[in-house]
Amino acid sequence: MADQIRVLIVDDIPETRDHLTKLLGFESDIEVVGSAASGSEALTMAASMLPDVVLMDINMPDMDGIAATEKLSSEVPTAAVVMMSVQGEADYLRRSMLAGAREFLVKPFSSDELTASIRQVYTRERDKQSRMSAMPVMSANTGGPVPASDEGGHDGQIVAIFSPKGGVGRTTVAVNLAVAAATELGKSVVLMDGSFQFGDVGVLLNLNPKNKSIADLVPELEAGELESIDTFVINHSAGIRVLLAPPSPEMAELITPSGVKKVLEALRRTHDLVVVDCTSWFNETTLAILDAADVVLTMLSLEITSIKNMRLFLEVADQLGYEPNKIKLVLNRADSSLGIRVADVESSIGRKVDHTIVSDGRSVVYALNRGVPFFLSNREAQVSQDILRLAQAVAGERVASAREDTRKTVQKKSLFSFR
Ligand SMILES: Nc1ncnc2c1ncn2[C@@H]1O[C@H](COP(=O)(O)OP(=O)(O)OP(=O)(O)O)[C@@H](O)[C@H]1O
Ligand SMILES: [Mg+2]
């Protein structure tokens, strides 16, 4: 029999503890090893019971869930915390993640959401542990973690384009990176618009169908089968495939974190590269994308607000247990003379910028307004060359490390530094 997931429940309300214990009692792979009524009791119990997962209420009288999670992260680091809260605001989510929580459930949640979160967190932690114990196997020069190859199928790479501040060029880079990888590197590429409320990918690619988006997959996601995903992925003349965001913002909430994960897994099985244009704020669907990604290209610009948010994001990424290698920093409009130098940025955030892209308002905005990627319309421009280098580094990295292809290794050395 498979290992059971050992769960500790922490909530000051006795009825909630009983209810959760009963709910989880139905799951054969989950065992409730104890329940605590306060943060301090939770710490004592966790130290002796060593649970895999701690279900932690956020509002408790003596020590709140955030403080308890912080202590737990250092005292019992093997216990992964799933935070439960009636407040779903971004600030709570951010503070919980900074304290070390792995998941965030907004009450009331269904028993399916609860058990899915517990299993997901447990699997992720277990994979992390085994990756860490197999560290020497991981090639030191890979661009991201060695992907978990699943049941022998196609095992494409998921590249998330994220930034902790809006308007820094995520969509621009996502679209052109996808086109570059398809047209120059011969990859089969699908671009997913992960900005489910106000996605712009359709605008940049001049696509506007009403009945082809991720929203059309919701019934299948709810039924647990993803059979017609191909029907809703659009073949674009630029040589890429595109899964658009829902046509109207209110439909965004239909897309759940577990749904997103299923979609990404399905796309990675049929493509070499899955590029995802993410939102610039942390919500559960964005976290699901970042979790699933092999590489997170995190974009910033030479602005003080962008740099500040990047610092915060890097802290959160660390708390989430992302390996430093998974995050690559991409500085957009790197040559704009705005009083901040790249070296200032690096010293402020405490790590090197991995890639830079020049500023080229003429090519970029002209292309945007025509709905044609600049990588196609202005292939010779420096900004296109920077995008190609980024695509080579991201997509070529796995090939290079897997096949020890010397040609690619030489090419890689001339790229921006990888750490
Ligand atoms: N390298 C560049 N040179 C010049 N202009 C650029 C460059 N990259 C992006 N831009 C411009 O910056 C603006 C924002 O870009 P984009 O929409 O790609 O950013 P975003 O991060 O996706 O924004 P949002 O938060 O709205 O999703 C656009 O007008 C785009 O044309
Ligand atoms: Mg955008």
Side-chain angles (χ1 to χ4, degrees):
M1 206 182 102
D3 285 346
Q4 284 197 310
I5 309 175
R6 296 163 53 78
V7 176
L8 174 67
I9 295 168
V10 189
D11 201 304
D12 57 323
I13 301 171
E15 293 76 29
T16 310
R17 294 199 299 274
D18 289 349
H19 177 62
L20 290 172
T21 309
K22 280 199 195 104
L23 269 184
L24 296 177
F26 293 111
E27 307 300 320
S28 58
D29 58 337
I30 296 176
E31 182 194 359
V32 176
V33 292
S35 62
S38 68
S40 47
E41 196 186 347
L43 290 173
T44 318
M45 288 177 85
S48 64
M49 291 167 168
L50 300 179
D52 298 307
V53 176
V54 178
L55 279 181
M56 180 81 79
D57 183 31
I58 211 164
N59 284 322
M60 289 183 293
D62 74 326
M63 180 193 294
D64 72 17
I66 293 181
T69 301
E70 227 158 36
K71 279 195 168 335
L72 205 60
S73 309
S74 59
E75 291 173 20
V76 191
T78 49
V81 173
V82 174
M83 197 66 93
M84 305 180 288
S85 169
V86 274
Q87 293 98 340
E89 292 107 35
D91 185 47
Y92 271 89
L93 176 69
R94 200 178 77 80
R95 283 173 54 216
S96 303
M97 292 304 175
L98 280 174
R102 297 286 186 257
E103 271 282 358
F104 193 91
L105 282 171
V106 181
K107 292 178 181 176
F109 42 79
S110 69
S111 75
D112 282 352
E113 283 172 306
L114 173 67
T115 52
S117 296
I118 292 174
R119 289 187 185 113
Q120 203 174 51
V121 164
Y122 172 73
T123 313
R124 210 191 295 149
E125 285 301 300
R126 202 191 42 194
D127 290 352
K128 197 173 94 194
Q129 302 287 341
S130 62
R131 271 208 305 271
M132 280 161 93
S133 58
M135 220 47 172
V137 176
M138 209 170 99
S139 163
N141 64 358
T142 54
V146 174
S149 154
D150 60 338
E151 71 264 355
H154 204 92
D155 183 27
Q157 190 184 14
I158 300 176
V159 178
I161 318 284
F162 176 75
S163 70
K165 182 171 186 304
V168 298
R170 289 184 318 280
T171 310
T172 304
V173 168
V175 165
N176 287 282
L177 178 78
V179 173
T183 56
E184 291 286 324
L185 308 179
K187 302 277 175 194
S188 59
V189 183
V190 60
L191 171 63
M192 176 174 124
D193 195 339
S195 181
F196 299 123
Q197 270 193 318
F198 297 105
D200 289 333
V201 166
V203 178
L204 266 73
L205 289 170
N206 206 8
L207 291 171
N208 194 21
K210 281 277 168 286
N211 55 354
K212 279 198 173 193
S213 82
I214 191 168
D216 298 289
L217 293 169
V218 169
E220 290 194 6
L221 285 168
E222 281 171 1
E225 296 285 327
L226 255 186
E227 276 171 354
S228 52
I229 186 162
D230 251 13
T231 324
F232 300 110
V233 178
I234 301 164
N235 292 316
H236 191 272
S237 55
I240 58 171
R241 308 189 75 221
V242 186
L243 182 57
L244 289 175
S248 57
E250 74 278 4
M251 292 169 93
E253 66 192 44
L254 301 173
I255 319 294
T256 62
S258 63
V260 166
K261 280 208 149 157
K262 282 187 203 142
V263 170
L264 287 173
E265 284 308 318
L267 294 176
R268 95 170 333 155
R269 279 197 293 274
T270 44
H271 299 85
D272 297 328
L273 199 63
V274 183
V275 178
V276 191
D277 179 19
C278 299
T279 61
S280 57
W281 60 91
F282 271 135
N283 55 19
E284 291 181 69
T285 42
T286 301
L287 275 174
I289 296 168
L290 300 186
D291 277 353
D294 297 295
V295 181
V296 179
L297 294 182
T298 314
M299 305 210 26
L300 75 163
S301 60
L302 289 172
E303 282 169 53
I304 203 80
T305 43
S306 169
I307 297 162
K308 180 209 77 177
N309 287 8
M310 179 61 79
R311 247 193 338 243
L312 289 174
F313 169 70
L314 291 174
E315 280 174 32
V316 174
D318 192 39
Q319 297 288 344
L320 288 169
Y322 294 167
E323 288 160 34
N325 235 346
K326 172 166 172 165
I327 312 276
K328 299 289 177 205
L329 300 194
V330 181
L331 179 63
N332 193 19
R333 315 189 76 165
D335 54 337
S336 29
S337 44
L338 300 167
I340 304 178
R341 293 168 311 142
V342 180
D344 300 332
V345 176
E346 292 178 333
S347 74
S348 169
I349 56 181
R351 64 170 279 181
K352 282 218 156 305
V353 165
D354 298 287
H355 306 275
T356 54
I357 296 171
V358 296
S359 183
D360 182 354
R362 236 182 109 77
S363 307
V364 176
V365 181
Y366 180 67
L368 167 82
N369 291 339
R370 282 202 314 156
V372 176
F374 63 77
F375 190 81
L376 293 180
S377 59
N378 205 349
R379 177 68 191 75
E380 297 312 314
Q382 182 62 44
V383 67
S384 296
Q385 292 176 33
D386 288 349
I387 289 283
L388 179 57
R389 267 202 285 267
L390 180 61
Q392 283 168 329
V394 169
E397 196 69 9
R398 263 166 74 160
V399 180
S401 60
R403 295 191 195 146
E404 306 243 312
D405 180 328
T406 37
R407 185 178 54 82
K408 283 232 161 55
T409 310
V410 170
Q411 200 174 30
K412 183 162 61 70
K413 279 200 181 122
S414 68
L415 301 177
F416 299 95
S417 62
F418 261 82
R419 298 192 308 153

